[in-house]
Amino acid sequence: MFQDLHVNPETSCKSCLNMTPQSDALPIEVFQVLDLPLSIHEASLTKNERGQFLQLSFSNSSDLKILGLRYSLVSVAAQGGVQIRVNRTEGFSLPAYGMKTLTFKTAIKLGLKDGERLLMMIEQVISRESIWEVVKAKDAIEAYARGDFSVVPSVMRVTNQVDSPPVGRGPIYFRKN
């Protein structure tokens, strides 16, 4: 069936033959929490002269504007050891049902050893009206990093009482007589 399949270097794509990495970005594995309204499609650490920065490509599956997130970044050793490296909150603006690729401005300092891989999980998503919080996020990411996929994180959604607009009537105007 595949006997007639061959590649002619003279007619094939030259860029396909010279497969070189396009950037020095370090890929990050993502542990998706399906009950959150924010999904990460691609995550990596990009490097420049100021340090390493987290770059995310994500989408919003809710009808609410997302204002920020809290995430954890862990390193997983080749022997299976898990170490939390970063737990940080970042702010941004993502419209309802929108997609965005964003590089956060806070530098991350990591000293990874050979054979270590990075794993990321969103712990909290913030909108003006709601906050989605992953319950026992540390336990879930550590179990996932060790290869135990039976631990499914649950998400608790609460009303955001800090960022939400005041509920009630509009301004009250008094008439002068």
PDB file of all heavy atoms in Angstrom, residues 149-175:
ATOM      1  N   PHE A 149      -4.507  10.115  36.350  1.00  0.00           N
ATOM      2  CA  PHE A 149      -5.522  10.904  35.662  1.00  0.00           C
ATOM      3  C   PHE A 149      -6.917  10.694  36.241  1.00  0.00           C
ATOM      4  O   PHE A 149      -7.893  11.189  35.691  1.00  0.00           O
ATOM      5  CB  PHE A 149      -5.510  10.578  34.165  1.00  0.00           C
ATOM      6  CG  PHE A 149      -4.155  10.746  33.545  1.00  0.00           C
ATOM      7  CD1 PHE A 149      -3.530   9.689  32.904  1.00  0.00           C
ATOM      8  CD2 PHE A 149      -3.491  11.954  33.616  1.00  0.00           C
ATOM      9  CE1 PHE A 149      -2.280   9.847  32.333  1.00  0.00           C
ATOM     10  CE2 PHE A 149      -2.238  12.118  33.050  1.00  0.00           C
ATOM     11  CZ  PHE A 149      -1.629  11.061  32.411  1.00  0.00           C
ATOM     12  N   SER A 150      -7.013   9.961  37.344  1.00  0.00           N
ATOM     13  CA  SER A 150      -8.319   9.716  37.964  1.00  0.00           C
ATOM     14  C   SER A 150      -8.794  10.882  38.821  1.00  0.00           C
ATOM     15  O   SER A 150      -9.964  10.963  39.160  1.00  0.00           O
ATOM     16  CB  SER A 150      -8.267   8.445  38.813  1.00  0.00           C
ATOM     17  OG  SER A 150      -7.404   8.640  39.921  1.00  0.00           O
ATOM     18  N   VAL A 151      -7.887  11.799  39.176  1.00  0.00           N
ATOM     19  CA  VAL A 151      -8.261  12.954  39.986  1.00  0.00           C
ATOM     20  C   VAL A 151      -8.781  14.037  39.047  1.00  0.00           C
ATOM     21  O   VAL A 151      -8.025  14.663  38.312  1.00  0.00           O
ATOM     22  CB  VAL A 151      -7.066  13.482  40.805  1.00  0.00           C
ATOM     23  CG1 VAL A 151      -7.466  14.706  41.605  1.00  0.00           C
ATOM     24  CG2 VAL A 151      -6.525  12.395  41.718  1.00  0.00           C
ATOM     25  N   VAL A 152     -10.087  14.227  39.062  1.00  0.00           N
ATOM     26  CA  VAL A 152     -10.723  15.227  38.205  1.00  0.00           C
ATOM     27  C   VAL A 152     -11.034  16.447  39.069  1.00  0.00           C
ATOM     28  O   VAL A 152     -11.791  16.343  40.037  1.00  0.00           O
ATOM     29  CB  VAL A 152     -12.014  14.672  37.562  1.00  0.00           C
ATOM     30  CG1 VAL A 152     -12.688  15.723  36.706  1.00  0.00           C
ATOM     31  CG2 VAL A 152     -11.716  13.416  36.770  1.00  0.00           C
ATOM     32  N   PRO A 153     -10.465  17.598  38.736  1.00  0.00           N
ATOM     33  CA  PRO A 153     -10.716  18.778  39.566  1.00  0.00           C
ATOM     34  C   PRO A 153     -12.143  19.289  39.393  1.00  0.00           C
ATOM     35  O   PRO A 153     -12.715  19.243  38.307  1.00  0.00           O
ATOM     36  CB  PRO A 153      -9.711  19.800  39.044  1.00  0.00           C
ATOM     37  CG  PRO A 153      -9.397  19.367  37.671  1.00  0.00           C
ATOM     38  CD  PRO A 153      -9.555  17.874  37.641  1.00  0.00           C
ATOM     39  N   SER A 154     -12.709  19.752  40.493  1.00  0.00           N
ATOM     40  CA  SER A 154     -14.032  20.367  40.425  1.00  0.00           C
ATOM     41  C   SER A 154     -13.868  21.880  40.520  1.00  0.00           C
ATOM     42  O   SER A 154     -12.879  22.384  41.056  1.00  0.00           O
ATOM     43  CB  SER A 154     -14.933  19.851  41.545  1.00  0.00           C
ATOM     44  OG  SER A 154     -14.379  20.169  42.800  1.00  0.00           O
ATOM     45  N   VAL A 155     -14.850  22.584  39.987  1.00  0.00           N
ATOM     46  CA  VAL A 155     -14.793  24.039  39.930  1.00  0.00           C
ATOM     47  C   VAL A 155     -15.976  24.614  40.702  1.00  0.00           C
ATOM     48  O   VAL A 155     -17.103  24.154  40.556  1.00  0.00           O
ATOM     49  CB  VAL A 155     -14.821  24.525  38.457  1.00  0.00           C
ATOM     50  CG1 VAL A 155     -14.901  26.042  38.387  1.00  0.00           C
ATOM     51  CG2 VAL A 155     -13.602  24.022  37.716  1.00  0.00           C
ATOM     52  N   MET A 156     -15.679  25.610  41.519  1.00  0.00           N
ATOM     53  CA  MET A 156     -16.704  26.311  42.275  1.00  0.00           C
ATOM     54  C   MET A 156     -16.843  27.714  41.673  1.00  0.00           C
ATOM     55  O   MET A 156     -15.842  28.418  41.489  1.00  0.00           O
ATOM     56  CB  MET A 156     -16.296  26.406  43.748  1.00  0.00           C
ATOM     57  CG  MET A 156     -17.283  27.135  44.605  1.00  0.00           C
ATOM     58  SD  MET A 156     -16.850  27.118  46.369  1.00  0.00           S
ATOM     59  CE  MET A 156     -15.222  27.807  46.378  1.00  0.00           C
ATOM     60  N   ARG A 157     -18.059  28.099  41.355  1.00  0.00           N
ATOM     61  CA  ARG A 157     -18.319  29.421  40.795  1.00  0.00           C
ATOM     62  C   ARG A 157     -19.030  30.264  41.839  1.00  0.00           C
ATOM     63  O   ARG A 157     -20.050  29.853  42.388  1.00  0.00           O
ATOM     64  CB  ARG A 157     -19.179  29.313  39.542  1.00  0.00           C
ATOM     65  CG  ARG A 157     -19.453  30.638  38.874  1.00  0.00           C
ATOM     66  CD  ARG A 157     -20.247  30.440  37.602  1.00  0.00           C
ATOM     67  NE  ARG A 157     -20.531  31.728  36.984  1.00  0.00           N
ATOM     68  CZ  ARG A 157     -21.171  31.865  35.848  1.00  0.00           C
ATOM     69  NH1 ARG A 157     -21.595  30.802  35.194  1.00  0.00           N
ATOM     70  NH2 ARG A 157     -21.386  33.055  35.347  1.00  0.00           N
ATOM     71  N   VAL A 158     -18.461  31.434  42.113  1.00  0.00           N
ATOM     72  CA  VAL A 158     -19.052  32.342  43.086  1.00  0.00           C
ATOM     73  C   VAL A 158     -19.237  33.716  42.449  1.00  0.00           C
ATOM     74  O   VAL A 158     -18.609  34.029  41.443  1.00  0.00           O
ATOM     75  CB  VAL A 158     -18.189  32.461  44.368  1.00  0.00           C
ATOM     76  CG1 VAL A 158     -18.093  31.135  45.089  1.00  0.00           C
ATOM     77  CG2 VAL A 158     -16.811  32.995  44.047  1.00  0.00           C
ATOM     78  N   THR A 159     -20.068  34.520  43.058  1.00  0.00           N
ATOM     79  CA  THR A 159     -20.295  35.877  42.583  1.00  0.00           C
ATOM     80  C   THR A 159     -19.115  36.754  42.956  1.00  0.00           C
ATOM     81  O   THR A 159     -18.634  36.711  44.086  1.00  0.00           O
ATOM     82  CB  THR A 159     -21.579  36.451  43.210  1.00  0.00           C
ATOM     83  OG1 THR A 159     -22.668  35.589  42.887  1.00  0.00           O
ATOM     84  CG2 THR A 159     -21.877  37.838  42.697  1.00  0.00           C
ATOM     85  N   ASN A 160     -18.653  37.535  42.009  1.00  0.00           N
ATOM     86  CA  ASN A 160     -17.571  38.475  42.272  1.00  0.00           C
ATOM     87  C   ASN A 160     -18.185  39.731  42.881  1.00  0.00           C
ATOM     88  O   ASN A 160     -18.802  40.536  42.197  1.00  0.00           O
ATOM     89  CB  ASN A 160     -16.838  38.809  40.971  1.00  0.00           C
ATOM     90  CG  ASN A 160     -15.616  39.664  41.197  1.00  0.00           C
ATOM     91  OD1 ASN A 160     -15.410  40.199  42.280  1.00  0.00           O
ATOM     92  ND2 ASN A 160     -14.795  39.799  40.168  1.00  0.00           N
ATOM     93  N   GLN A 161     -18.016  39.887  44.188  1.00  0.00           N
ATOM     94  CA  GLN A 161     -18.619  41.014  44.877  1.00  0.00           C
ATOM     95  C   GLN A 161     -17.696  42.218  44.951  1.00  0.00           C
ATOM     96  O   GLN A 161     -18.085  43.264  45.437  1.00  0.00           O
ATOM     97  CB  GLN A 161     -19.062  40.583  46.268  1.00  0.00           C
ATOM     98  CG  GLN A 161     -20.135  39.522  46.197  1.00  0.00           C
ATOM     99  CD  GLN A 161     -20.646  39.120  47.559  1.00  0.00           C
ATOM    100  OE1 GLN A 161     -20.282  39.682  48.570  1.00  0.00           O
ATOM    101  NE2 GLN A 161     -21.524  38.133  47.582  1.00  0.00           N
ATOM    102  N   VAL A 162     -16.469  42.067  44.467  1.00  0.00           N
ATOM    103  CA  VAL A 162     -15.525  43.180  44.475  1.00  0.00           C
ATOM    104  C   VAL A 162     -15.593  43.959  43.164  1.00  0.00           C
ATOM    105  O   VAL A 162     -15.686  45.182  43.160  1.00  0.00           O
ATOM    106  CB  VAL A 162     -14.089  42.664  44.714  1.00  0.00           C
ATOM    107  CG1 VAL A 162     -13.083  43.792  44.622  1.00  0.00           C
ATOM    108  CG2 VAL A 162     -13.999  41.973  46.053  1.00  0.00           C
ATOM    109  N   ASP A 163     -15.554  43.255  42.034  1.00  0.00           N
ATOM    110  CA  ASP A 163     -15.511  43.905  40.736  1.00  0.00           C
ATOM    111  C   ASP A 163     -16.874  44.116  40.105  1.00  0.00           C
ATOM    112  O   ASP A 163     -16.977  44.767  39.075  1.00  0.00           O
ATOM    113  CB  ASP A 163     -14.662  43.076  39.761  1.00  0.00           C
ATOM    114  CG  ASP A 163     -13.225  42.979  40.213  1.00  0.00           C
ATOM    115  OD1 ASP A 163     -12.715  43.980  40.737  1.00  0.00           O
ATOM    116  OD2 ASP A 163     -12.622  41.910  40.044  1.00  0.00           O
ATOM    117  N   SER A 164     -17.917  43.551  40.686  1.00  0.00           N
ATOM    118  CA  SER A 164     -19.230  43.644  40.053  1.00  0.00           C
ATOM    119  C   SER A 164     -19.812  45.045  40.203  1.00  0.00           C
ATOM    120  O   SER A 164     -19.574  45.724  41.194  1.00  0.00           O
ATOM    121  CB  SER A 164     -20.182  42.610  40.644  1.00  0.00           C
ATOM    122  OG  SER A 164     -20.374  42.853  42.008  1.00  0.00           O
ATOM    123  N   PRO A 165     -20.587  45.459  39.219  1.00  0.00           N
ATOM    124  CA  PRO A 165     -21.216  46.781  39.328  1.00  0.00           C
ATOM    125  C   PRO A 165     -22.290  46.753  40.401  1.00  0.00           C
ATOM    126  O   PRO A 165     -22.855  45.699  40.692  1.00  0.00           O
ATOM    127  CB  PRO A 165     -21.821  46.999  37.938  1.00  0.00           C
ATOM    128  CG  PRO A 165     -21.994  45.631  37.375  1.00  0.00           C
ATOM    129  CD  PRO A 165     -20.920  44.779  37.985  1.00  0.00           C
ATOM    130  N   PRO A 166     -22.581  47.875  41.002  1.00  0.00           N
ATOM    131  CA  PRO A 166     -23.621  47.894  42.036  1.00  0.00           C
ATOM    132  C   PRO A 166     -24.971  47.531  41.431  1.00  0.00           C
ATOM    133  O   PRO A 166     -25.316  47.961  40.345  1.00  0.00           O
ATOM    134  CB  PRO A 166     -23.602  49.327  42.546  1.00  0.00           C
ATOM    135  CG  PRO A 166     -22.893  50.115  41.512  1.00  0.00           C
ATOM    136  CD  PRO A 166     -21.990  49.179  40.779  1.00  0.00           C
ATOM    137  N   VAL A 167     -25.707  46.724  42.181  1.00  0.00           N
ATOM    138  CA  VAL A 167     -27.023  46.294  41.732  1.00  0.00           C
ATOM    139  C   VAL A 167     -28.062  47.231  42.324  1.00  0.00           C
ATOM    140  O   VAL A 167     -27.993  47.621  43.476  1.00  0.00           O
ATOM    141  CB  VAL A 167     -27.288  44.843  42.182  1.00  0.00           C
ATOM    142  CG1 VAL A 167     -28.664  44.396  41.743  1.00  0.00           C
ATOM    143  CG2 VAL A 167     -26.220  43.917  41.641  1.00  0.00           C
ATOM    144  N   GLY A 168     -29.002  47.592  41.534  1.00  0.00           N
ATOM    145  CA  GLY A 168     -30.056  48.468  42.027  1.00  0.00           C
ATOM    146  C   GLY A 168     -30.429  49.482  40.971  1.00  0.00           C
ATOM    147  O   GLY A 168     -30.074  49.373  39.810  1.00  0.00           O
ATOM    148  N   ARG A 169     -31.108  50.482  41.421  1.00  0.00           N
ATOM    149  CA  ARG A 169     -31.547  51.522  40.502  1.00  0.00           C
ATOM    150  C   ARG A 169     -30.399  52.442  40.142  1.00  0.00           C
ATOM    151  O   ARG A 169     -29.376  52.473  40.797  1.00  0.00           O
ATOM    152  CB  ARG A 169     -32.636  52.343  41.155  1.00  0.00           C
ATOM    153  CG  ARG A 169     -33.889  51.573  41.380  1.00  0.00           C
ATOM    154  CD  ARG A 169     -34.983  52.546  41.623  1.00  0.00           C
ATOM    155  NE  ARG A 169     -35.680  52.248  42.856  1.00  0.00           N
ATOM    156  CZ  ARG A 169     -36.564  53.052  43.384  1.00  0.00           C
ATOM    157  NH1 ARG A 169     -36.813  54.209  42.838  1.00  0.00           N
ATOM    158  NH2 ARG A 169     -37.198  52.725  44.461  1.00  0.00           N
ATOM    159  N   GLY A 170     -30.659  53.216  39.144  1.00  0.00           N
ATOM    160  CA  GLY A 170     -29.695  54.226  38.724  1.00  0.00           C
ATOM    161  C   GLY A 170     -29.647  55.380  39.713  1.00  0.00           C
ATOM    162  O   GLY A 170     -30.238  55.316  40.805  1.00  0.00           O
ATOM    163  N   PRO A 171     -29.032  56.470  39.336  1.00  0.00           N
ATOM    164  CA  PRO A 171     -28.931  57.613  40.262  1.00  0.00           C
ATOM    165  C   PRO A 171     -30.288  58.238  40.529  1.00  0.00           C
ATOM    166  O   PRO A 171     -31.183  58.207  39.706  1.00  0.00           O
ATOM    167  CB  PRO A 171     -28.011  58.585  39.511  1.00  0.00           C
ATOM    168  CG  PRO A 171     -28.081  58.182  38.092  1.00  0.00           C
ATOM    169  CD  PRO A 171     -28.389  56.704  38.070  1.00  0.00           C
ATOM    170  N   ILE A 172     -30.404  58.785  41.714  1.00  0.00           N
ATOM    171  CA  ILE A 172     -31.645  59.448  42.121  1.00  0.00           C
ATOM    172  C   ILE A 172     -31.436  60.941  41.980  1.00  0.00           C
ATOM    173  O   ILE A 172     -30.461  61.500  42.512  1.00  0.00           O
ATOM    174  CB  ILE A 172     -32.013  59.083  43.570  1.00  0.00           C
ATOM    175  CG1 ILE A 172     -32.210  57.575  43.667  1.00  0.00           C
ATOM    176  CG2 ILE A 172     -33.243  59.854  44.028  1.00  0.00           C
ATOM    177  CD1 ILE A 172     -32.399  57.079  45.073  1.00  0.00           C
ATOM    178  N   TYR A 173     -32.318  61.592  41.241  1.00  0.00           N
ATOM    179  CA  TYR A 173     -32.212  63.029  41.024  1.00  0.00           C
ATOM    180  C   TYR A 173     -33.308  63.740  41.816  1.00  0.00           C
ATOM    181  O   TYR A 173     -34.467  63.304  41.813  1.00  0.00           O
ATOM    182  CB  TYR A 173     -32.363  63.368  39.530  1.00  0.00           C
ATOM    183  CG  TYR A 173     -31.277  62.746  38.701  1.00  0.00           C
ATOM    184  CD1 TYR A 173     -31.512  61.600  37.941  1.00  0.00           C
ATOM    185  CD2 TYR A 173     -30.011  63.299  38.678  1.00  0.00           C
ATOM    186  CE1 TYR A 173     -30.529  61.040  37.183  1.00  0.00           C
ATOM    187  CE2 TYR A 173     -29.002  62.747  37.919  1.00  0.00           C
ATOM    188  CZ  TYR A 173     -29.251  61.614  37.165  1.00  0.00           C
ATOM    189  OH  TYR A 173     -28.264  61.057  36.429  1.00  0.00           O
ATOM    190  N   PHE A 174     -32.964  64.813  42.485  1.00  0.00           N
ATOM    191  CA  PHE A 174     -33.926  65.609  43.222  1.00  0.00           C
ATOM    192  C   PHE A 174     -34.220  66.895  42.446  1.00  0.00           C
ATOM    193  O   PHE A 174     -33.306  67.497  41.896  1.00  0.00           O
ATOM    194  CB  PHE A 174     -33.378  65.938  44.621  1.00  0.00           C
ATOM    195  CG  PHE A 174     -33.199  64.727  45.477  1.00  0.00           C
ATOM    196  CD1 PHE A 174     -31.947  64.179  45.692  1.00  0.00           C
ATOM    197  CD2 PHE A 174     -34.298  64.143  46.085  1.00  0.00           C
ATOM    198  CE1 PHE A 174     -31.796  63.058  46.485  1.00  0.00           C
ATOM    199  CE2 PHE A 174     -34.149  63.034  46.892  1.00  0.00           C
ATOM    200  CZ  PHE A 174     -32.891  62.478  47.091  1.00  0.00           C
ATOM    201  N   ARG A 175     -35.479  67.265  42.462  1.00  0.00           N
ATOM    202  CA  ARG A 175     -35.894  68.485  41.790  1.00  0.00           C
ATOM    203  C   ARG A 175     -35.929  69.623  42.779  1.00  0.00           C
ATOM    204  O   ARG A 175     -36.402  69.482  43.897  1.00  0.00           O
ATOM    205  CB  ARG A 175     -37.295  68.292  41.225  1.00  0.00           C
ATOM    206  CG  ARG A 175     -37.337  68.418  39.774  1.00  0.00           C
ATOM    207  CD  ARG A 175     -38.729  68.414  39.260  1.00  0.00           C
ATOM    208  NE  ARG A 175     -39.623  67.462  39.917  1.00  0.00           N
ATOM    209  CZ  ARG A 175     -40.818  67.190  39.488  1.00  0.00           C
ATOM    210  NH1 ARG A 175     -41.278  67.797  38.419  1.00  0.00           N
ATOM    211  NH2 ARG A 175     -41.582  66.351  40.098  1.00  0.00           N
TER     212      ARG A 175
END
